[in-house]
Amino acid sequence: MSIAATLRRRFPPIILLLSLLSAFPPLATDMYLPALPQLQQEWGVSFARVNATLVAFFISYCCFLLIHGPLSDRFGRKPPLIAGISVFIAASLLCAVSNSVEMMVAGRFLQGAGASAASAVVFATSKDRFTGPVRQKVFVQIGAIVAAAPMLAPVLGGWILKFFSWHWIFVLQAFLGAVALVGVHFMRETLPEKSTAGLLTVFRSYLHLLGNQGYLRQLMLFSLIGMPLFAFIGGSADLYMNGMGYTAQQYGYFFAFNSSAFILAPLTFSRVSRHYSVRLLIPLAFCGMLTGGLALLVPVLPIPWRLALPMVWTTFCFSFCRPAGNNLILEEVSKDVGSASSLMVFFYFVTGASGIWIFSQGWQDKQQVLGIMVILVACVALGLWFLHSILPAPGSKKESGP
């Protein structure tokens, strides 16, 4: 069997398309991280103001997630995807021609609005097409492929900066959006039965989801653990380039090294979970994050490894339990899956944006702040996990709809 045939069998076209759609947030964010210090100098603004372009993306992304999910339950999965990707392409081109931080913030806000359609629909489409253990395997496959985005994106962005200019980063993002748009055009509709309720009734599904205690506890738990990872993503360029004096290309390699954990962790989980229960592996991953946070506070290793190595381990532990966490959250609902999927990603990015905002403040020792954040999040996650284990929710496994 040829290599191409093997890849098609292991990663069918629908998996590749869902992976590209899932990769919109890291592609839209990580690719231009090496350009942040350059934008700061070019426009003569503070790093906190340049970081507002990140925050604007995540705020818009989170808000529109709550819109696209119910729309996908009402009108099908494809219409919101087509509309959202079209907005993403136009917004990427707006970012490419930006000449001020305010214009970039506006473009990034629109990018977030478009990218949210992809994220809102990916998990719902996966639940439409796959069930049980197969769906968990699909999530692991998507996670492994998507993990390449944050690993390659900053490296690619660094090389674009070396030979061209930061404007071309957003042109490339627009091109990738166009590729996804073509794929969605040929994708078959996966929603078996569209909701006949009015839009107001569809949006009320969020209230019912928040009343599902099992869903809500799992949601809060797996959203919380992403906070220090987002903080690191938002501040990594400042840490490596402004703090340690590395170039954009060198920073891209450090970021890629950290992002390699996003690939290794889901693959490791896929193998280990064949022999051990998910209920055992997830708290072990939280304990691993705790050790990573402690390592960030102990200045034993030389610079830059005292930051790089603990963050690789922390990222690995986070990514190790993330696909299983997505599956556990969605196992708590059987209706309004689009809304449940949107709310899941919404909480994940809201806590992440909070982490970026906290980390962007004028701390003297940002690595210490990062270590404390990892430790606190890991301890709270362990507490919530054991609480969920001993207090089964009376609303779990029930229909989330009225």
Side-chain angles (χ1 to χ4, degrees), residues 305-348:
W305 304 112
R306 70 177 58 171
L307 171 65
L309 292 179
M311 279 311 304
V312 165
W313 174 243
T314 301
T315 303
F316 179 91
C317 294
F318 163 78
S319 189
F320 181 84
C321 63
R322 183 65 191 175
N326 291 338
N327 191 49
L328 288 174
I329 293 171
L330 292 181
E331 282 291 334
E332 298 289 343
V333 298
S334 56
K335 292 181 68 175
D336 299 322
V337 178
S339 299
S341 177
S342 293
L343 198 61
M344 178 178 71
V345 185
F346 171 82
F347 269 84
Y348 176 52

Side-chain angles (χ1 to χ4, degrees), residues 6-313:
T6 302
L7 289 175
R8 281 195 300 269
R9 182 174 59 85
R10 186 171 180 80
F11 300 108
I14 184 61
I15 299 298
L16 296 177
L17 176 59
L18 292 175
S19 299
L20 176 58
L21 295 173
S22 298
F24 268 36
L27 288 174
T29 300
D30 301 344
M31 194 180 295
Y32 92 115
L33 288 178
L36 291 181
Q38 180 177 328
L39 293 176
Q40 177 187 357
Q41 296 175 0
E42 183 174 321
W43 291 333
V45 297
S46 67
F47 195 81
R49 286 193 66 190
V50 172
N51 246 14
T53 62
L54 285 172
V55 176
F57 177 91
F58 288 128
I59 289 176
S60 172
Y61 182 86
C62 293
C63 292
F64 280 89
L65 272 173
L66 300 181
I67 297 174
H68 291 305
L71 288 178
S72 74
D73 287 333
R74 179 66 176 83
F75 300 107
R77 310 304 186 201
K78 289 182 65 173
L81 266 180
I82 292 173
I85 296 173
S86 300
V87 170
F88 178 85
I89 295 171
S92 298
L93 296 176
L94 176 61
C95 290
V97 298
S98 294
N99 55 16
S100 68
V101 68
E102 292 80 13
M103 190 173 178
M104 177 68 78
V105 167
R108 292 286 293 164
F109 185 89
L110 291 174
Q111 262 196 324
S116 63
S119 297
V121 176
V122 162
F123 290 111
T125 301
S126 299
K127 178 146 188 175
D128 292 342
R129 294 192 59 148
F130 310 104
T131 59
V134 175
R135 184 169 62 246
Q136 179 170 298
K137 180 180 179 182
V138 167
F139 283 164
V140 171
Q141 287 180 313
I142 292 175
I145 298 174
V146 172
M151 184 174 72
L152 298 177
V155 175
L156 184 58
W159 281 102
I160 290 176
L161 289 175
K162 183 176 179 64
F163 294 105
F164 303 100
S165 69
W166 61 264
H167 306 81
W168 287 96
I169 293 175
F170 294 101
V171 173
L172 178 57
Q173 291 178 7
F175 172 76
L176 293 174
V179 172
L181 187 62
V182 173
V184 170
H185 175 75
F186 290 102
M187 181 185 80
R188 69 175 176 84
E189 177 62 59
T190 61
L191 184 63
E193 183 178 349
K194 299 177 183 178
S195 172
T196 57
L199 283 179
L200 183 60
T201 303
V202 173
F203 279 99
R204 285 176 184 163
S205 60
Y206 287 123
L207 296 178
H208 295 284
L209 285 168
L210 293 176
N212 183 334
Q213 296 179 31
Y215 171 82
L216 188 59
R217 283 205 298 264
Q218 298 272 30
L219 182 65
M220 295 301 296
L221 166 63
F222 289 102
S223 299
L224 183 66
I225 61 173
M227 180 180 287
L229 272 298
F230 276 89
F232 174 72
I233 289 172
S236 56
D238 187 34
L239 286 168
Y240 281 111
M241 297 175 69
N242 291 339
M244 301 181 190
Y246 289 104
T247 66
Q249 291 75 42
Q250 291 170 327
Y251 160 70
Y253 296 137
F254 278 115
F255 197 91
F257 174 58
N258 185 81
S259 299
S260 65
F262 283 112
I263 294 179
L264 296 175
L267 296 177
T268 303
F269 175 84
S270 180
R271 292 183 176 276
V272 175
S273 62
R274 300 172 189 172
H275 308 287
Y276 299 97
S277 168
V278 170
R279 303 287 174 179
L280 171 65
L281 296 176
I282 287 179
L284 285 178
F286 297 157
C287 291
M289 290 186 67
L290 181 60
T291 62
L294 291 171
L296 284 168
L297 299 182
V298 181
V300 175
L301 297 170
I303 294 175
W305 304 112
R306 70 177 58 171
L307 171 65
L309 292 179
M311 279 311 304
V312 165
W313 174 243

